[in-house]
Amino acid sequence: MLTAQQNVLLTQTGPGTGMGEVFRQYWQPLLLSRELQARGAPKPVKILGEDFVAFRDAQDRVGVIKPRCSHRGANLVLGRNEDAGLRCVYHGWQFDVAGRCIDIPTSEASIAENLKPQAALRALKVEEWCDIIWVHFGDESPDQEPPALPKLDFSALPDDHYFVSKKLQQCNWAQAVEGGIDTAHFSYLHANLQDDQRVGLMPTQGINEPAESGRYRWLIEDSVPQFTILKHDAGLVMCAARKADNEQLYWRLTQFLMPNHSMAPNSFPGDNHQGNTWVPIDDHSCWIFCYIYNPERPLTEQEVDGYASGSGIFANVDENYVPLRNRENNYLQDRDMQQHANFTGITGISEQDAAIADSQGLIADRTAELLGQTDLAIVRFRQMMFAAADAVQAGNAPHGKEHPGSYQVRSGDAMSPRSGVAIDVVTERFGELAGQNLTNF
Amino acid sequence: MLTAQQNVLLTQTGPGTGMGEVFRQYWQPLLLSRELQARGAPKPVKILGEDFVAFRDAQDRVGVIKPRCSHRGANLVLGRNEDAGLRCVYHGWQFDVAGRCIDIPTSEASIAENLKPQAALRALKVEEWCDIIWVHFGDESPDQEPPALPKLDFSALPDDHYFVSKKLQQCNWAQAVEGGIDTAHFSYLHANLQDDQRVGLMPTQGINEPAESGRYRWLIEDSVPQFTILKHDAGLVMCAARKADNEQLYWRLTQFLMPNHSMAPNSFPGDNHQGNTWVPIDDHSCWIFCYIYNPERPLTEQEVDGYASGSGIFANVDENYVPLRNRENNYLQDRDMQQHANFTGITGISEQDAAIADSQGLIADRTAELLGQTDLAIVRFRQMMFAAADAVQAGNAPHGKEHPGSYQVRSGDAMSPRSGVAIDVVTERFGELAGQNLTNF
Amino acid sequence: MLTAQQNVLLTQTGPGTGMGEVFRQYWQPLLLSRELQARGAPKPVKILGEDFVAFRDAQDRVGVIKPRCSHRGANLVLGRNEDAGLRCVYHGWQFDVAGRCIDIPTSEASIAENLKPQAALRALKVEEWCDIIWVHFGDESPDQEPPALPKLDFSALPDDHYFVSKKLQQCNWAQAVEGGIDTAHFSYLHANLQDDQRVGLMPTQGINEPAESGRYRWLIEDSVPQFTILKHDAGLVMCAARKADNEQLYWRLTQFLMPNHSMAPNSFPGDNHQGNTWVPIDDHSCWIFCYIYNPERPLTEQEVDGYASGSGIFANVDENYVPLRNRENNYLQDRDMQQHANFTGITGISEQDAAIADSQGLIADRTAELLGQTDLAIVRFRQMMFAAADAVQAGNAPHGKEHPGSYQVRSGDAMSPRSGVAIDVVTERFGELAGQNLTNF
């Protein structure tokens, strides 16, 4: 439970807000690379409550600049994307990917040269990496070197080992993260139904089956996972242990990376791995970037097709990455399906997650909660975010910012005896990819 | 004419407002019984500016509870309606019709038992009666006995003697009531046209015809009805006398019952009788519950079909009880019809009433009125509402609250000599059903 | 560049605002005459942020009155338009075109007579002229003589010499005017494209061609027109000189008439002439009235058909005069067209103008501009508007108000030697129609 003031701090990310200043310290995914074509349509984008226009010039360089022409304030989103940059269609002033004004055709040449520096537009730092356009608000001087990108687990893999996409979430970023790092809800939100009883998402074969199928049964059977939270240089490992067959424990091990990335569980060695980043558009919506990858082999065409059309953490989206089942159409919830087939009456794991987060309101009211032991991951997430806000306010680097190399961590599932201890389980399962300087938190 | 402050007092019914506190003293219709099925879809409802979720459990009991799960604030409207109550689809916490938390599957049993009382949700008191689900905000302790339901005239009748439905009104409750108790507008709003002249709603046979058909002519011929207002234990009788043939008076006698019921005229002995209750959803919309009944015989199937498809006080509504002719489509007003067929160019008595009330604004501005003698019923209605607000603020029961048995009153039409006096006419026409402790007001 | 306070002053026109008081000193176009039929549907209208209802009675007189019935506030837009005026459909109170209450059928005759003066509704002064319904807020006494209408150039012509229409602009009036008097943008906004190079709107024949076709090339070749602003009794003449062939200058001469009319250039002697008036609906939208006329001959049927379907300054509009290519559908901007066919990817000169003005925001932010020499017309426009606001606040007549006869001025194009001086060019081109008491400003 938070105070009203803490809830505001956690959820607001616009310019000048506490958490907004935290986010502005880190690189953030802005667009999928495939959303911008060279000399193609410029795209209006909003991130952390601020409007920009993004475009790719003829040299394949991406610019993300303030959208209003410095001359008379016409919107550059209407602009013509030319070889050297974006040209305002009102009087032809032109801007390059760094926001520099490179042509002022309404003035004589000598006057224009003097005017250009004043006419420059603020530009975000931009990097493309793993099919994603990343931006950093950073220092506004175009000369300063940007910090390094966070080295997520799949960034070292060949291109065909991973697939990335995104989906719109119609609520505040923080409650969407809190759903993403909350494995406890699997016992209900994602349950199927048979004869009015919850059953697992996938068929199981009963007692003594392999963990690969048994886990879907254990998720249902034990709705009180025991949580242990570990901390490392880039964030947290959330360890949730459920009772499994034969006095064993089934562990789901989730990575949270500051300030808004998660590597999700549900993978034994050999399985595909998955992750998300929740990027605030404004305080009432966010983009969820979705990653799937296999450290050992390329994804198959069939797998990619499945993800692209909305399986698992991927939503079934339209051409603008808006989920087809969304807040406006109540996720096509089917009450008959809810009585007989699955627990929500909503089709799709991603859509079930989206629906429940949206249902908490545009911004969840955390002043009236009753948190228990299964909400420990959420409590620690908030704690780390508040510490980051304190750090930034004190002029210090927030957690993880100075350790981009420590972002290469892995999430997944593990089995242990009933006496297993989280830090040992994690270390044994992931080795160095568990996280650097791992400790209990 | 009211002051701006009085207008606010009359029209606002949210928690903590003067009139909101008045409404919270009385039972209010919330839903039609047929809107909730056992174990069917829970329904989001708003009444007096407050959100709730309504559901019917497997034992056919109706619950109306606050809609946010006490765990993490997920919306229970997404919930699964199970045998014992509504279960949150996020982590499975379950609530019964009284708002009690009856299952907390994310905690060990002993912890859960301790947590449940804290986890209870506020529930309204609920009664079903005459095909309507009634609620009372009352005291929030679930142990206290609720007050008795107001005994409306048709409540004593066999089921097949009455029919109830509802319709959405897209403006503040008070101006809709003021239209409902205003018989003066019949001379224009509901007039038909012939050769550019107003004529009655129903065909008449000219002078010396029976009152049953003559009344439609008298409504047109006399646009200055003389008003007398009587008071009784449950509210008011509004008596409007129009000049009829042969030195007679034609009386339309309307009942107003605190705080928002009306029994409408237009019935001689033997006719069907009708009534309405205006229930604030918020300050910009209300549900109008509509009643029709015959004290002496069952309604015919043909009558019920007609009402269900929108005749008389019933609107032509969609499956959500939203009128098909509404604010958004300007009631399908037809200007040619308005020049040649009826006075508004709008089809339907109910729709004509709805249009004119909506047209006064979302909340009518009563600081710029010019009230006359034909507006006396409205003046007295406001006076009684303000007195109720004063009473509640002083810690006393508002008018009618302590006399639920006095709500069995009847409305209708009567004829008298030109010298007829209202209180005598009413008493002769309705006997005990005129109202208890009837006096001039 | 303006201060935030100046920007508010320039753009807000509601009752009680500085610029609102300026506008209320002048006659303003409200509707096209063809929008109101005798005894036809009354029309809700908003001008300068105030709501009225407009109607035409059986005697063909137009009324523009406050829309709420003085009795109970029902909206007269629902009203029945009868021979003598508009009748409220609630209780039948009736109002004539001067706002006088002429029937109160809910009161006895003697009471009604006393009540009528109190029941009168505020009415604007109305004149019909050149197919347009003009209104003046003026003094509210119905007895005072209204000021004379501004005598625009085409008002003296036979009916078949001109055509008028209107179109909705979805942004503040002032930035729309600033686009209308800004000839500098022709070099880009309205350019066509050939082989990735800007070319003129109309085909040209290369060097030494007649000015009638050469002007379209000069508009593209010289994007730094030299501005001189002249002042006269009704407003300003904006003179923009571009380099033409053979050491000549090509002049575009625009008239601005207080407070919101413009006569546009692009006409040599013999050509059709054009003009606009931008009338604020509220601070986020305005009506642009469009005029085309030929001083020497009737317009041809083919010309009128073309204008009516949206050529030149006329937009392609629906039956409510809303442009088919508008803010909601991003003006059907086609990015492929923008790369290969014209500079904006938007079809239509009018639509290109609308798009760029809308793109500046609902109200353009003038606190972050970089104005240059080509923006001089805009600077002088603002200066004249601010002077008018000062005059009105000091109790004086704003510029032009007392000279309605001086509004007969003409705009158009001219050629001169490179040494040509604006005031001489204008005087030679237009003679007395240049403007009365012409001086440099």
Side-chain angles (χ1 to χ4, degrees), chain B residues 18-37:
Chain B
M19 213 52 78
E21 293 307 305
V22 170
F23 271 88
R24 282 165 176 77
Q25 306 286 315
Y26 300 90
W27 283 96
Q28 289 291 307
L30 180 75
L31 290 169
L32 301 171
S33 290
R34 59 186 182 268
E35 292 185 83
L36 293 183
Q37 315 308 322

Side-chain angles (χ1 to χ4, degrees), chain A residues 111-168:
Chain A
I111 296 174
E113 284 316 301
N114 284 332
L115 201 56
K116 282 177 183 176
Q118 274 182 266
L121 294 173
R122 179 178 172 208
L124 298 185
K125 293 181 197 308
V126 177
E127 296 277 352
E128 282 200 77
W129 171 81
C130 294
D131 299 342
I132 290 169
I133 295 164
W134 294 72
V135 294
H136 195 285
F137 281 68
D139 187 280
E140 290 174 35
S141 143
D143 307 323
Q144 201 176 338
E145 199 58 32
L149 285 163
K151 193 177 176 184
L152 295 182
D153 193 23
F154 63 103
S155 69
L157 297 176
D159 286 3
D160 57 1
H161 281 231
Y162 60 84
F163 174 73
V164 304
S165 190
K166 69 175 191 178
K167 59 188 179 187
L168 181 69

Side-chain angles (χ1 to χ4, degrees), chain B residues 309-369:
Chain B
S309 60
S311 71
I313 60 166
F314 295 88
N316 190 357
V317 294
D318 70 13
E319 70 278 13
N320 299 312
Y321 301 93
V322 176
L324 300 185
R325 298 186 286 286
N326 54 44
R327 193 188 270 278
E328 281 69 38
N329 59 23
N330 198 36
Y331 321 94
L332 302 182
Q333 187 181 30
D334 178 326
R335 296 294 185 172
D336 191 60
M337 189 194 296
Q338 186 178 31
Q339 284 297 333
H340 302 297
N342 74 20
F343 203 70
T344 55
I346 295 169
T347 299
I349 301 300
S350 170
E351 286 79 357
Q352 292 161 4
D353 283 327
I356 206 69
D358 286 353
S359 92
Q360 294 172 297
L362 290 173
I363 299 180
D365 177 5
R366 293 174 180 78
T367 66
E369 297 174 313

